Amino acid sequence: MKHRHRSARRDCPACHVVAGQAVASRQTPCGTVRLRERWISSGQASEELVIRRAPSVGSPHGRLPSFQEAHMKIGIIGAGHIGATLARKWVKLGHQVSLANSRGPDSIRELAAEIGATAVTAAQAAKSGEVVVVTIPQRAVMDLPKDLFQGVPADVVIIDTGNYYPTRDGAIPELEQGKTESVWVSERLGRPVVKAFNNIYSQSLADKSQPPGTPGRVALPVAGAPEAKAKVLRLIDELGFDPVDAGDLEGSWRQQPGTPCYTQDLDAPKLKAALAASDRGRIPEYRKAADDAAKPFFLAAAQRKP
Protein backbone atom coordinates (compact mmCIF):
# COMPACT_ATOMS: atom_id res chain seq x y z
CA MET A 1 0.00 0.00 0.00
CA LYS A 2 1.34 3.41 -0.89
CA HIS A 3 0.61 6.62 0.93
CA ARG A 4 -1.30 8.76 -1.61
CA HIS A 5 -2.38 11.98 0.12
CA ARG A 6 -1.28 14.96 -1.95
CA SER A 7 -0.91 17.17 1.09
CA ALA A 8 -0.54 16.65 4.83
CA ARG A 9 -3.77 15.65 6.59
CA ARG A 10 -4.13 16.22 10.31
CA ASP A 11 -6.33 13.15 10.70
CA CYS A 12 -3.75 10.85 9.16
CA PRO A 13 -0.76 10.03 11.40
CA ALA A 14 1.32 9.13 8.35
CA CYS A 15 0.90 12.76 7.21
CA HIS A 16 0.76 14.67 10.48
CA VAL A 17 3.89 16.50 11.60
CA VAL A 18 3.64 19.06 14.40
CA ALA A 19 5.27 22.35 13.41
CA GLY A 20 6.05 20.87 10.01
CA GLN A 21 4.72 19.27 6.87
CA ALA A 22 4.98 15.82 5.36
CA VAL A 23 6.25 16.30 1.83
CA ALA A 24 6.91 12.74 0.62
CA SER A 25 6.54 9.18 1.80
CA ARG A 26 6.60 5.64 0.53
CA GLN A 27 6.37 2.15 1.95
CA THR A 28 9.51 0.08 1.70
CA PRO A 29 9.61 -3.69 1.00
CA CYS A 30 10.56 -4.36 4.62
CA GLY A 31 7.31 -2.83 5.86
CA THR A 32 8.37 0.62 7.03
CA VAL A 33 7.35 4.03 5.84
CA ARG A 34 10.06 6.42 4.73
CA LEU A 35 8.62 9.83 5.52
CA ARG A 36 10.43 13.02 4.64
CA GLU A 37 9.49 15.79 7.04
CA ARG A 38 9.94 19.50 6.56
CA TRP A 39 10.39 21.51 9.73
CA ILE A 40 9.75 25.25 9.62
CA SER A 41 11.79 27.43 11.97
CA SER A 42 12.50 31.14 11.75
CA GLY A 43 11.47 31.19 8.11
CA GLN A 44 13.87 28.42 7.11
CA ALA A 45 12.81 24.98 5.97
CA SER A 46 14.85 21.85 6.51
CA GLU A 47 14.03 18.24 5.67
CA GLU A 48 14.87 15.07 7.52
CA LEU A 49 14.25 11.45 6.63
CA VAL A 50 12.29 9.56 9.25
CA ILE A 51 11.82 5.79 9.39
CA ARG A 52 8.45 4.76 10.78
CA ARG A 53 6.25 1.68 10.87
CA ALA A 54 3.88 1.20 8.00
CA PRO A 55 0.12 1.49 8.59
CA SER A 56 -1.70 -1.81 8.82
CA VAL A 57 -3.46 -2.95 5.68
CA GLY A 58 -7.22 -2.73 5.99
CA SER A 59 -7.35 -0.18 8.82
CA PRO A 60 -9.38 3.03 8.19
CA HIS A 61 -7.43 5.33 5.87
CA GLY A 62 -4.68 2.67 6.07
CA ARG A 63 -3.54 3.87 9.48
CA LEU A 64 -2.84 2.49 12.92
CA PRO A 65 -4.56 3.88 16.01
CA SER A 66 -1.09 4.70 17.36
CA PHE A 67 1.67 5.72 14.97
CA GLN A 68 5.02 5.97 16.74
CA GLU A 69 8.67 6.40 15.99
CA ALA A 70 10.65 3.18 15.56
CA HIS A 71 11.64 2.01 19.03
CA MET A 72 14.85 3.58 20.29
CA LYS A 73 17.49 2.94 22.92
CA ILE A 74 17.57 5.84 25.37
CA GLY A 75 19.96 6.47 28.26
CA ILE A 76 18.90 8.66 31.17
CA ILE A 77 21.44 10.03 33.66
CA GLY A 78 19.44 11.17 36.66
CA ALA A 79 16.56 9.28 38.28
CA GLY A 80 14.81 12.23 39.91
CA HIS A 81 11.34 13.53 39.09
CA ILE A 82 11.95 14.39 35.42
CA GLY A 83 14.27 11.45 34.72
CA ALA A 84 11.92 8.87 36.23
CA THR A 85 8.88 10.39 34.51
CA LEU A 86 10.56 10.35 31.09
CA ALA A 87 11.75 6.78 31.67
CA ARG A 88 8.26 5.61 32.60
CA LYS A 89 6.60 7.27 29.61
CA TRP A 90 9.23 6.12 27.10
CA VAL A 91 9.08 2.52 28.30
CA LYS A 92 5.30 2.59 27.86
CA LEU A 93 5.85 3.80 24.29
CA GLY A 94 8.08 0.79 23.63
CA HIS A 95 11.52 2.37 23.89
CA GLN A 96 14.40 0.59 25.64
CA VAL A 97 15.54 2.77 28.56
CA SER A 98 18.71 2.56 30.63
CA LEU A 99 18.50 4.56 33.88
CA ALA A 100 21.39 5.79 36.02
CA ASN A 101 21.94 8.02 39.05
CA SER A 102 24.86 9.26 41.10
CA ARG A 103 24.67 6.47 43.72
CA GLY A 104 24.99 3.50 41.39
CA PRO A 105 22.58 0.98 39.87
CA ASP A 106 21.89 -0.91 43.12
CA SER A 107 20.17 2.16 44.54
CA ILE A 108 17.62 2.32 41.69
CA ARG A 109 17.07 -1.33 40.77
CA GLU A 110 13.64 -1.36 42.41
CA LEU A 111 12.58 1.85 40.63
CA ALA A 112 13.94 0.63 37.31
CA ALA A 113 12.16 -2.71 37.66
CA GLU A 114 8.87 -0.97 38.46
CA ILE A 115 9.25 1.26 35.39
CA GLY A 116 10.53 -1.46 33.08
CA ALA A 117 13.93 0.20 32.57
CA THR A 118 17.42 -1.21 33.15
CA ALA A 119 19.47 0.13 36.07
CA VAL A 120 23.00 1.00 34.91
CA THR A 121 25.96 3.21 35.75
CA ALA A 122 26.21 6.73 34.34
CA ALA A 123 29.00 5.56 32.04
CA GLN A 124 26.78 2.77 30.71
CA ALA A 125 23.83 5.14 30.23
CA ALA A 126 26.03 7.51 28.23
CA LYS A 127 26.87 4.70 25.83
CA SER A 128 23.52 2.94 25.80
CA GLY A 129 21.53 4.55 23.06
CA GLU A 130 20.66 6.93 20.28
CA VAL A 131 19.54 9.58 22.78
CA VAL A 132 21.05 10.33 26.21
CA VAL A 133 19.24 12.59 28.67
CA VAL A 134 21.25 14.39 31.35
CA THR A 135 18.71 15.40 34.00
CA ILE A 136 20.62 16.33 37.16
CA PRO A 137 21.09 19.48 39.25
CA GLN A 138 23.34 22.06 37.60
CA ARG A 139 26.10 21.71 40.16
CA ALA A 140 26.17 17.92 39.67
CA VAL A 141 27.30 18.36 36.04
CA MET A 142 30.73 19.24 37.44
CA ASP A 143 30.89 15.86 39.17
CA LEU A 144 30.35 13.81 36.01
CA PRO A 145 33.46 12.06 34.64
CA LYS A 146 35.26 14.25 32.13
CA ASP A 147 35.45 11.33 29.71
CA LEU A 148 31.78 10.37 30.13
CA PHE A 149 31.02 10.72 26.42
CA GLN A 150 34.41 9.66 25.10
CA GLY A 151 33.88 7.20 22.26
CA VAL A 152 30.15 7.93 22.03
CA PRO A 153 29.24 8.40 18.34
CA ALA A 154 28.80 12.00 17.23
CA ASP A 155 25.24 11.39 16.08
CA VAL A 156 24.03 10.42 19.57
CA VAL A 157 21.75 13.24 20.76
CA ILE A 158 22.36 14.54 24.28
CA ILE A 159 19.45 16.32 25.96
CA ASP A 160 20.03 18.71 28.86
CA THR A 161 16.99 19.21 31.09
CA GLY A 162 18.83 21.11 33.81
CA ASN A 163 18.19 24.46 35.48
CA TYR A 164 20.42 26.68 37.58
CA TYR A 165 19.14 27.55 41.06
CA PRO A 166 21.81 29.30 43.17
CA THR A 167 20.18 28.22 46.46
CA ARG A 168 20.55 24.56 45.46
CA ASP A 169 23.60 24.69 43.19
CA GLY A 170 25.71 27.39 44.81
CA ALA A 171 26.92 30.35 42.80
CA ILE A 172 28.45 29.40 39.43
CA PRO A 173 30.42 32.46 38.30
CA GLU A 174 30.09 31.93 34.54
CA LEU A 175 26.32 31.67 34.83
CA GLU A 176 26.13 34.68 37.13
CA GLN A 177 28.05 36.60 34.45
CA GLY A 178 25.41 35.77 31.84
CA LYS A 179 26.49 32.58 30.08
CA THR A 180 23.53 30.54 28.84
CA GLU A 181 23.03 27.58 31.18
CA SER A 182 23.00 24.84 28.53
CA VAL A 183 26.01 26.33 26.74
CA TRP A 184 27.83 25.95 30.05
CA VAL A 185 26.62 22.34 30.32
CA SER A 186 27.75 21.62 26.76
CA GLU A 187 31.21 22.95 27.55
CA ARG A 188 31.46 20.80 30.68
CA LEU A 189 30.39 17.66 28.79
CA GLY A 190 32.52 18.41 25.76
CA ARG A 191 29.57 17.66 23.49
CA PRO A 192 26.72 19.60 21.85
CA VAL A 193 23.45 19.33 23.75
CA VAL A 194 19.79 20.02 23.05
CA LYS A 195 17.83 21.93 25.68
CA ALA A 196 14.42 20.41 26.41
CA PHE A 197 12.09 19.29 29.24
CA ASN A 198 13.49 21.95 31.59
CA ASN A 199 10.47 24.26 31.73
CA ILE A 200 7.80 21.77 32.79
CA TYR A 201 7.02 20.29 36.19
CA SER A 202 7.31 16.51 36.37
CA GLN A 203 3.63 16.25 37.36
CA SER A 204 2.60 18.12 34.20
CA LEU A 205 4.94 15.93 32.16
CA ALA A 206 3.27 12.86 33.64
CA ASP A 207 -0.34 13.99 33.41
CA LYS A 208 -0.85 16.48 30.60
CA SER A 209 -0.11 14.46 27.46
CA GLN A 210 -2.69 14.96 24.71
CA PRO A 211 -3.13 13.62 21.16
CA PRO A 212 -1.93 15.83 18.28
CA GLY A 213 -4.43 18.49 17.35
CA THR A 214 -6.04 18.70 20.81
CA PRO A 215 -6.95 22.34 21.56
CA GLY A 216 -4.71 23.74 24.28
CA ARG A 217 -2.18 20.91 24.01
CA VAL A 218 0.80 21.84 26.17
CA ALA A 219 3.86 22.83 24.16
CA LEU A 220 7.55 22.44 25.04
CA PRO A 221 10.46 24.47 23.65
CA VAL A 222 13.49 22.74 22.13
CA ALA A 223 16.76 24.57 21.49
CA GLY A 224 19.92 23.30 19.82
CA ALA A 225 21.51 22.32 16.53
CA PRO A 226 18.94 21.55 13.78
CA GLU A 227 19.79 17.91 13.08
CA ALA A 228 19.84 16.82 16.74
CA LYS A 229 16.88 19.01 17.59
CA ALA A 230 14.69 17.37 14.94
CA LYS A 231 14.87 14.03 16.74
CA VAL A 232 13.90 15.65 20.06
CA LEU A 233 11.01 17.51 18.44
CA ARG A 234 9.59 14.20 17.29
CA LEU A 235 10.10 12.54 20.68
CA ILE A 236 8.18 15.36 22.37
CA ASP A 237 5.27 14.99 19.97
CA GLU A 238 5.25 11.24 20.65
CA LEU A 239 5.11 11.96 24.40
CA GLY A 240 1.93 13.98 23.89
CA PHE A 241 3.13 17.57 23.72
CA ASP A 242 3.47 20.11 20.93
CA PRO A 243 7.18 20.64 20.16
CA VAL A 244 8.24 24.22 19.47
CA ASP A 245 11.57 24.97 17.81
CA ALA A 246 13.15 27.59 20.10
CA GLY A 247 16.25 28.26 17.99
CA ASP A 248 19.89 27.56 18.74
CA LEU A 249 21.43 26.57 22.07
CA GLU A 250 22.68 30.08 22.81
CA GLY A 251 19.08 31.27 22.64
CA SER A 252 17.89 28.71 25.20
CA TRP A 253 18.19 31.42 27.88
CA ARG A 254 14.59 32.18 26.86
CA GLN A 255 13.42 29.00 28.62
CA GLN A 256 15.56 29.30 31.75
CA PRO A 257 14.01 29.59 35.23
CA GLY A 258 11.77 32.60 35.77
CA THR A 259 11.33 33.48 32.10
CA PRO A 260 7.78 34.02 30.78
CA CYS A 261 7.53 30.44 29.45
CA TYR A 262 8.89 28.71 32.54
CA THR A 263 6.52 26.14 34.13
CA GLN A 264 3.45 27.81 32.61
CA ASP A 265 2.13 24.83 30.58
CA LEU A 266 1.35 27.05 27.59
CA ASP A 267 -0.01 25.90 24.24
CA ALA A 268 2.12 26.43 21.13
CA PRO A 269 0.94 29.97 20.16
CA LYS A 270 1.28 31.23 23.74
CA LEU A 271 4.66 29.53 24.18
CA LYS A 272 6.00 31.20 21.04
CA ALA A 273 4.73 34.56 22.32
CA ALA A 274 6.34 33.97 25.73
CA LEU A 275 9.69 33.08 24.15
CA ALA A 276 9.53 36.24 22.06
CA ALA A 277 8.67 38.34 25.11
CA SER A 278 11.75 37.22 27.06
CA ASP A 279 14.31 39.94 27.74
CA ARG A 280 17.93 38.86 28.11
CA GLY A 281 18.69 41.92 30.19
CA ARG A 282 16.27 40.62 32.81
CA ILE A 283 17.93 37.22 33.33
CA PRO A 284 19.17 38.13 36.84
CA GLU A 285 15.63 39.24 37.72
CA TYR A 286 14.10 36.08 36.26
CA ARG A 287 16.60 33.89 38.09
CA LYS A 288 16.10 35.58 41.45
CA ALA A 289 12.32 35.27 41.21
CA ALA A 290 12.54 31.57 40.41
CA ASP A 291 15.18 30.93 43.07
CA ASP A 292 13.20 32.78 45.73
CA ALA A 293 10.08 30.77 44.87
CA ALA A 294 11.96 27.45 45.04
CA LYS A 295 14.06 28.27 48.09
CA PRO A 296 11.68 26.77 50.71
CA PHE A 297 11.55 23.50 48.75
CA PHE A 298 15.35 23.28 48.47
CA LEU A 299 15.89 24.13 52.14
CA ALA A 300 13.35 21.52 53.22
CA ALA A 301 14.99 18.92 50.95
CA ALA A 302 18.40 19.72 52.42
CA GLN A 303 17.08 19.19 55.95
CA ARG A 304 15.68 15.77 55.02
CA LYS A 305 19.06 14.50 53.83
CA PRO A 306 20.84 12.22 56.35
Side-chain angles (χ1 to χ4, degrees):
M1 178 189 296
K2 293 185 178 179
H3 197 63
R4 297 184 183 278
H5 300 327
R6 293 186 179 181
S7 59
R9 282 176 41 178
R10 293 197 65 82
D11 68 335
C12 177
C15 283
H16 173 60
V17 180
V18 171
Q21 179 181 14
V23 295
S25 64
R26 67 180 178 85
Q27 186 170 332
T28 64
C30 65
T32 60
V33 167
R34 296 169 63 84
L35 171 66
R36 187 168 292 279
E37 293 179 354
R38 177 172 290 154
W39 294 89
I40 310 299
S41 172
S42 304
Q44 295 182 339
S46 61
E47 294 184 1
E48 177 154 338
L49 190 66
V50 183
I51 307 301
R52 288 177 165 166
R53 287 188 185 80
S56 61
V57 176
S59 63
H61 301 294
R63 68 179 185 268
L64 290 170
S66 176
F67 195 69
Q68 301 175 355
E69 291 288 334
H71 293 169
M72 299 172 59
K73 293 182 178 179
I74 301 174
I76 301 179
I77 300 173
H81 295 299
I82 293 293
T85 300
L86 286 172
R88 183 172 281 107
K89 291 175 79 74
W90 276 328
V91 167
K92 286 181 179 179
L93 288 167
H95 299 297
Q96 183 178 325
V97 176
S98 297
L99 186 64
N101 70 355
S102 61
R103 299 187 302 278
D106 287 342
S107 66
I108 55 169
R109 288 199 195 282
E110 186 174 340
L111 172 64
E114 183 262 316
I115 289 172
T118 302
V120 297
T121 65
Q124 289 170 326
K127 297 173 174 63
S128 67
E130 303 150 71
V131 172
V132 178
V133 183
V134 178
T135 178
I136 58 178
Q138 201 84 7
R139 69 170 186 274
V141 173
M142 294 183 281
D143 298 328
L144 292 173
K146 297 192 184 308
D147 62 350
L148 183 63
F149 290 100
Q150 184 175 337
V152 174
D155 61 352
V156 170
V157 176
I158 301 170
I159 301 174
D160 169 36
T161 79
N163 294 301
Y164 172 49
Y165 284 95
T167 294
R168 178 193 64 188
D169 300 317
I172 298 177
E174 289 175 273
L175 301 182
E176 294 293 337
Q177 293 163 14
K179 178 167 285 190
T180 299
E181 292 172 15
S182 282
V183 171
W184 180 87
V185 171
S186 178
E187 291 173 353
R188 302 283 84 70
L189 298 180
R191 291 287 295 262
V193 302
V194 174
K195 184 75 163 188
F197 302 113
N198 77 295
N199 77 316
I200 185 169
Y201 287 123
S202 60
Q203 197 65 50
S204 293
L205 185 62
D207 296 342
K208 293 191 176 182
S209 299
Q210 295 286 345
T214 302
R217 192 188 198 208
V218 174
L220 299 179
V222 183
E227 188 173 335
K229 184 168 52 180
K231 183 175 288 188
V232 182
L233 290 165
R234 294 193 303 275
L235 280 171
I236 286 175
D237 183 29
E238 184 190 35
L239 285 168
F241 301 89
D242 275 348
V244 170
D245 188 332
D248 62 14
L249 192 65
E250 178 60 40
S252 64
W253 62 267
R254 294 181 178 87
Q255 62 199 75
Q256 290 179 177
T259 55
C261 79
Y262 192 70
T263 66
Q264 297 301 304
D265 292 347
L266 304 172
D267 63 16
K270 291 178 181 177
L271 174 58
K272 292 173 185 177
L275 291 167
S278 299
D279 180 349
R280 188 156 198 169
R282 296 179 62 190
I283 288 179
E285 176 189 339
Y286 295 148
R287 180 173 290 147
K288 184 179 187 307
D291 194 62
D292 287 347
K295 189 175 294 185
F297 171 80
F298 292 137
L299 293 177
Q303 290 175 354
R304 288 194 299 268
K305 287 183 178 180

